[in-house]
Amino acid sequence: SQQGEEDPQALSIQEGENATMNCSYKTSINNLQWYRQNSGRGLVHLILIRSNEREKHSGRLRVTLDTSKKSSSLLITASRAADTASYFCATAGISGSARQLTFGSGTQLTVLP
Amino acid sequence: DSGVTQTPKHLITATGQRVTLRCSPRSGDLSVYWYQQSLDQGLQFLIQYYNGEERAKGNILERFSAQQFPDLHSELNLSSLELGDSALYFCASSATGGFPDTQYFGPGTRLTVL
């Protein structure tokens, strides 16, 4: 079963708008990561946020983490057509097999020109 | 380009057959991870090797096995293939072997079992 679940499953926006994707998880984590995947290609690491961090920025990306609610959000500002891709959150648990990255089912983002 | 290479890009084979997928990690990375991505199961962690030794196992079937060689490249062996094994298989690498840090993914091998 998957630890992280993204919401929404699909999101369609106009170029220039902001896109927000959410991720919820079930168990305690060491860190949470966001990855992007263009259709049928390898995943690209976007950002990692550790359990003791609340917010992190990287270029047009902003990630927040609320460990009390076991949730994270990824905000992409001023979206571009090239941002069209699937976005996955992945959690690294704190013990045993949960220490491995567990991926959610992803959000398919479409940015319309 | 992540620096992780995988061969072959595509593989078409028949049920019951055996195939080997190959992965070369980024220069300097000691950990190699294998993942399976399918429409119904999503992205599933299979197995991790660190500096030649198995470090962690995920949802890997007994028909599947892997190894990491002294030069750090890794191979994933899939045997007695079934239709349901059709999927994208990704290899990823990272510098460390502990808590998952940034992983760098290869382009994947698309396996089709007919």
Side-chain angles (χ1 to χ4, degrees):
Chain A
S1 62
Q2 289 167 332
Q3 158 85 308
E5 292 297 331
E6 288 90 342
D7 171 61
Q9 287 189 333
L11 180 61
S12 184
I13 59 173
Q14 294 291 133
E15 210 165 22
E17 294 180 340
N18 296 342
T20 299
M21 288 158 268
N22 303 296
C23 170
S24 60
Y25 57 92
K26 296 173 185 170
T27 62
S28 297
I29 60 170
N30 174 274
N31 67 68
L32 185 145
Q33 304 177 35
W34 286 90
Y35 287 81
R36 184 187 76 225
Q37 183 181 32
N38 289 85
S39 181
R41 308 192 63 174
L43 280 76
V44 175
H45 181 265
L46 296 176
I47 199 164
L48 180 154
I49 187 165
R50 301 195 185 279
S51 59
N52 61 352
E53 297 175 308
R54 292 296 167 258
E55 188 170 312
K56 211 162 181 182
H57 297 254
S58 176
R60 294 184 294 112
L61 306 180
R62 172 179 168 251
V63 168
T64 61
L65 179 64
D66 186 335
T67 53
S68 66
K69 294 181 179 177
K70 292 187 169 55
S71 67
S72 173
S73 68
L74 171 67
L75 168 68
I76 304 174
T77 60
S79 62
R80 307 165 182 169
D83 294 328
T84 294
S86 291
Y87 291 81
F88 295 88
C89 70
T91 53
I94 59 174
S95 63
S97 61
R99 292 178 64 168
Q100 296 307 314
L101 277 186
T102 304
F103 285 81
S105 51
T107 292
Q108 172 61 51
L109 173 66
T110 302
V111 181
L112 303 169
Chain B
D1 183 2
S2 67
V4 178
T5 60
Q6 288 187 249
T7 57
K9 284 188 178 179
H10 301 277
L11 204 46
I12 301 174
T13 188
T15 54
Q17 295 299 303
R18 172 189 171 94
V19 297
T20 297
L21 313 183
R22 182 188 168 104
C23 167
S24 292
R26 285 191 329 154
S27 177
D29 283 357
L30 298 179
S31 270
V32 169
Y33 308 79
W34 286 98
Y35 293 89
Q36 179 194 59
Q37 186 178 36
S38 62
L39 283 175
D40 55 344
Q41 295 289 326
L43 195 63
Q44 301 272 326
F45 166 70
L46 296 178
I47 196 164
Q48 176 198 3
Y49 277 82
Y50 176 73
N51 204 21
E53 294 191 1
E54 183 183 302
R55 178 60 65 97
K57 254 183 176 178
N59 299 321
I60 187 165
L61 299 173
E62 285 191 12
R63 300 183 285 109
F64 296 0
S65 64
Q67 53 185 328
Q68 186 179 29
F69 295 87
D71 67 352
L72 300 178
H73 91 270
S74 178
E75 293 180 355
L76 179 67
N77 301 295
L78 314 176
S79 62
S80 303
L81 285 168
E82 302 175 359
L83 295 177
D85 297 328
S86 294
L88 264 171
Y89 290 85
F90 289 107
C91 162
S93 73
S94 70
T96 62
F99 281 110
D101 216 313
T102 300
Q103 293 187 13
Y104 298 88
F105 279 74
T109 293
R110 183 173 292 280
L111 174 66
T112 302
V113 182
L114 302 175

